[in-house]
Amino acid sequence: MPDALRRLADRLDQAFATTDLAGRLRLLRDAFDGRVVFTTSFGLEDQALTHAIRSLGLEADFATLDTGRLFPETYDVWARTEEKYGFRVKAFHPDADALQALVADQGINGFYYGLDMRKACCGARKVEPLGRALSEAQGWIVGLRGDQSDHRANLRFVEFDAARGLIKASPLLDFSRDDVAAYCALHDVPINALHERGFLSIGCAPCTRAVKPGEPERAGRWWWESEDKKECGLHVGADGRLARAKMVG
C-alpha cells in the first residue's frame, strides 16, 4: 500500500503542476473513494481553500484544531465562515487529561522557556488532536505555500505522508500571498481581521505577534526561537524535520 500511495502522490504532483486550483481539488477528490480531510486554521490560505472546496461542491471533511489559546478574531472568522457557507467545521480539542498534565508540569505559559516545552505544548494542543482529525482519512488538504518560509520552499504539491499513511496535498503551493489575497477579495471570502494589523501568519495568541516591516511572513510565529525551529509539528516527520517527499526518477 505505501508504494501504491507514493506512486499516486507522484502522479497527482505532476498533474497539479499544470492544473488550476479548481482542477487540483477535483483531481484530489477523484483519486479517493474514502475520506478526504481539509484542516483549516482560518488563515488567509485556508479561507481561500474553504471557498474553493465549498463552491465546487466537493465532498470533504472540514476540521480545525481548537487549541484553547486562539485569538478572539479567529473564533469570529470561524463563525462568519460557517454562516457564509452554511456548514459546520468540526473542532478537535486537546485531550483534557493530557492538557491538565501539561499545565501542571510547565505552567500555563511554559512554552516560552524552552524549545522542548514549546514542542510539548504544540504536541498536546495540536499534534495529538490532528491525529484524531485525520483518523482513517485517505487524503489531507493543507494551505501551505512554498514562499512562506525557507522550510517550505522545497515541498511538493502532493506527497505521501508516511507517518500518517495518507496523501497530503498543498493546492496553493505555488501561489504568492498576493495571489491568495486577490482570490479572497474577488470572491468576498471572510478574512481574519488580524491580517490587516500585520499578523500575516496566525496561530495561538501567546505564540503569535504582528510582523514588522521587512520581516519574513512567518517571523511572528514563535518569534523568540531561532528560524530553523519554527514548525509546530503538524508538518514535520518523526525526525523533527519538515516533511519532504523524496523525488522519484
Side-chain angles (χ1 to χ4, degrees), residues 10-238:
D10 291 338
R11 291 196 299 271
L12 287 171
D13 183 66
Q14 293 173 11
F16 271 37
T18 57
T19 309
D20 63 9
L21 176 58
R24 291 169 181 177
L25 291 169
R26 290 191 181 100
L27 282 169
L28 186 68
R29 179 61 269 184
D30 290 346
F32 304 106
D33 57 9
R35 186 169 180 250
V36 174
V37 177
F38 168 49
T39 51
T40 175
S41 60
F42 304 101
L44 188 68
E45 294 76 20
D46 292 338
Q47 290 300 96
L49 286 171
T50 293
H51 176 85
I53 294 168
R54 296 294 296 179
S55 297
L56 291 167
L58 300 180
E59 183 180 350
D61 292 346
F62 283 70
T64 193
L65 309 178
D66 186 356
T67 65
R69 303 300 300 267
L70 303 180
F71 286 95
E73 290 86 350
T74 300
Y75 291 110
D76 176 67
V77 75
W78 179 349
R80 288 190 288 122
T81 299
E82 291 186 335
E83 182 178 356
K84 179 178 176 67
Y85 297 104
F87 77 117
R88 290 282 183 259
V89 177
K90 185 173 182 179
F92 288 82
H93 303 273
D95 175 80
D97 291 338
L99 191 58
Q100 182 173 328
L102 176 80
V103 175
D105 176 57
Q106 63 175 230
I108 192 62
N109 286 338
F111 42 80
Y112 288 131
Y113 301 105
L115 181 60
D116 288 344
M117 296 172 76
R118 197 272 290 171
K119 287 185 175 181
C121 186
C122 288
R125 294 183 186 273
K126 301 175 76 171
V127 178
E128 190 279 331
L130 175 68
R132 285 184 272 119
L134 296 177
S135 177
E136 300 184 0
Q138 296 179 341
W140 177 22
I141 303 172
V142 298
L144 302 182
R145 294 190 354 259
D147 66 352
Q148 286 174 322
S149 69
D150 290 342
H151 292 280
R152 298 179 178 186
N154 295 321
L155 294 176
R156 301 171 65 193
F157 287 110
V158 184
E159 304 181 352
F160 170 58
D161 187 323
R164 298 182 176 92
L166 48 67
I167 297 291
K168 179 180 178 181
S170 303
L172 298 177
L173 191 68
D174 58 348
F175 279 56
S176 68
R177 186 177 183 85
D178 287 345
D179 292 336
V180 180
Y183 179 91
C184 290
L186 177 65
H187 298 288
D188 194 27
V189 177
I191 297 300
N192 194 318
L194 291 172
H195 289 316
E196 295 183 356
R197 304 178 206 163
F199 290 79
L200 303 186
S201 178
I202 303 169
C204 292
C207 300
T208 308
R209 65 161 173 79
V211 173
K212 300 174 184 177
E215 283 188 322
E217 185 171 326
R218 286 177 60 81
R221 303 292 295 277
W222 309 291
W223 66 91
W224 63 92
E225 295 180 358
S226 61
E227 189 64 29
D228 63 342
K229 306 298 183 183
K230 290 189 175 184
E231 290 290 343
C232 63
L234 300 185
H235 304 294
V236 298

